[in-house]
Amino acid sequence: MEEFRVKLQNEQEAMILFGLEDAHLRLMEEKTKCRFVARGTEVVVTGEGDRVRRAAAVIDELQKLIRAGNTLTPSDVLYVVSGPEADSREGREHMIASLTKVIATTQRGRPIKAKTIGQDRYIRSIDHESIVFGIGPAGTGKTYLAVVMAVKALKNKEVNRIVLTRPAVEAGEKLGFLPGDLQEKVNPYLRPLYDALFDLLGPETTARYLEKGAIEIAPLAYMRGRTLDDSFVILDEAQNTSPEQMKMFLTRLGYGSKAVVTGDITQTDLPRGQYSGLVEVQRVLTGIADISFHYFTARDVVRNPLVQSIINAYETEESRPEAGA
């Protein structure tokens, strides 16, 4: 058995590192198989040699995140402690560089950063490719980060407008005839896009951009027949498009435009027997220059850590032979 002691800068750093009621320490104990004891602003780690050294490296990386202004959540701790990046110095350095880089700030001044290596790669793809597909489970930040990059491009005058669209498909339930005019009818489907814009720009600025036409939010059916020049276009919930709709959307792009397509192919709400355009497009467009496919996994989920377990459980169930019978 070996022992390692870590002296923290102050009580605030200790409080963030330990978590509420030492929840972060308990999580690190579970994953590293070491014993963590908090003593004021000091942590004592005991366990087998290799495990203690790994635990010490994890604490060091978490300290760097805290000192870079990150407020740790259980998801952050779980990501750092369980990732393969923690196995090498180069991997840890790359991880910290990725998770501390500020991409943008919210309307309230909160810095926005990638929370996982997968998110960092996704952001880099959006920076460098004209069409990016973000495919993976809920809670991985696919849509939110796409909107972040769109707002950033608009503010930097890289594009003249943002176009946000979704197919108006009910999520497994019949909503009937909604009241109101056309915009009021489609707003429930587009609510997540509004929420992201409000977080980044605030309601007043968002309303001003919408009024000027610098931001447009519309159902996918409104894209037919248009050519979108100098635009940042986001198609959300793309698993609910038909192959024909996907082709129609992708062929709307004009000069100086960029598109991000997001979706989760495990949560398709299309009628039974109808093929998803997001599934087909992976086969049709693979290998074309300036188009990239980015796949998120349960490890990129940044919601409650329990969501990762739920996704993993469903994936295990669906992979069983009898599940597809």
Side-chain angles (χ1 to χ4, degrees):
M1 299 290 284
E2 292 189 14
E3 181 179 282
F4 183 85
R5 293 173 180 267
V6 181
K7 187 68 176 177
L8 306 175
Q9 274 189 339
N10 49 48
E11 290 184 359
Q12 182 179 9
E13 182 175 283
M15 183 172 60
I16 296 173
L17 179 65
F18 299 163
L20 183 64
E21 297 181 348
D22 292 345
H24 296 166
L25 293 185
R26 302 290 78 80
L27 193 55
M28 286 188 275
E29 279 189 334
E30 177 187 345
K31 296 300 179 181
T32 63
K33 309 302 181 186
C34 293
R35 184 166 181 250
F36 288 69
V37 178
R39 295 174 179 170
T41 57
E42 184 180 63
V43 183
V44 181
V45 184
T46 55
E48 296 180 5
D50 289 343
R51 290 177 176 173
V52 167
R53 284 187 284 275
R54 180 180 172 86
V58 166
I59 291 178
D60 182 57
E61 305 315 314
L62 291 174
Q63 283 181 286
K64 290 177 182 177
L65 288 177
I66 294 169
R67 292 170 188 177
N70 293 54
T71 300
L72 297 185
T73 66
S75 292
D76 297 328
V77 176
L78 184 62
Y79 184 80
V80 172
V81 77
S82 63
E85 296 86 0
D87 290 334
S88 69
R89 180 179 177 181
E90 294 77 12
R92 291 194 298 271
E93 289 177 351
H94 173 65
M95 177 172 60
I96 294 305
S98 299
L99 303 187
T100 55
K101 179 183 177 182
V102 177
I103 308 159
T105 57
T106 67
Q107 183 258 345
R108 295 178 178 272
R110 177 178 60 84
I112 300 171
K113 308 171 188 177
K115 290 183 175 292
T116 70
I117 296 295
Q119 287 191 350
D120 179 64
R121 291 173 181 154
Y122 178 58
I123 291 164
R124 292 174 187 270
S125 293
I126 295 173
D127 259 337
H128 296 103
E129 309 288 344
S130 293
I131 299 178
V132 176
F133 291 85
I135 302 172
T140 51
K142 303 183 299 295
T143 302
Y144 183 80
L145 290 175
V147 175
V148 168
M149 297 301 286
V151 169
K152 183 178 177 182
L154 183 64
K155 286 183 173 180
N156 292 341
K157 301 188 185 305
E158 297 168 15
V159 296
N160 293 330
R161 62 176 165 174
I162 298 171
V163 179
L164 307 174
T165 185
R166 298 176 106 193
V169 176
E170 296 147 334
E173 52 187 315
K174 299 300 180 184
L175 301 181
F177 293 97
L178 296 172
D181 60 22
L182 182 60
Q183 192 62 45
E184 290 171 332
K185 290 177 187 293
V186 300
N187 273 351
Y189 298 102
L190 306 171
R191 190 73 248 171
L193 301 175
Y194 281 105
D195 290 343
L197 288 171
F198 289 167
D199 188 41
L200 294 164
L201 298 171
E204 292 181 3
T205 302
T206 299
R208 189 164 62 250
Y209 277 133
L210 287 166
E211 186 177 350
K212 293 193 305 181
I215 295 178
E216 179 183 347
I217 304 178
L220 181 59
Y222 273 40
M223 297 298 107
R224 188 173 298 278
R226 302 179 61 184
T227 299
L228 302 173
D229 292 324
D230 299 313
S231 302
F232 196 119
V233 192
I234 299 173
L235 171 57
D236 190 32
E237 298 289 339
Q239 75 275 6
N240 290 328
T241 61
S242 66
E244 294 78 16
Q245 286 176 317
M246 179 63 74
K247 179 182 177 182
M248 179 273 291
F249 170 78
L250 294 173
T251 53
R252 298 308 94 202
L253 288 187
Y255 290 104
S257 290
K258 185 186 291 283
V260 179
V261 179
T262 67
D264 178 3
I265 57 177
T266 69
Q267 295 196 34
T268 300
D269 301 310
L270 293 169
R272 185 178 296 275
Q274 187 169 335
Y275 197 51
S276 169
L278 186 59
V279 173
E280 182 187 71
V281 78
Q282 296 173 72
R283 173 181 57 82
V284 175
L285 299 186
T286 297
I288 297 180
D290 213 20
I291 297 177
S292 67
F293 290 84
H294 185 88
Y295 296 93
F296 292 92
T297 68
R299 190 166 176 256
D300 293 303
V301 172
V302 293
R303 293 177 181 170
N304 188 314
L306 185 60
V307 176
Q308 292 188 15
S309 301
I310 292 170
I311 291 170
N312 286 330
Y314 271 100
E315 289 178 349
T316 300
E317 176 65 21
E318 290 164 1
S319 66
R320 293 170 53 195
E322 60 269 25

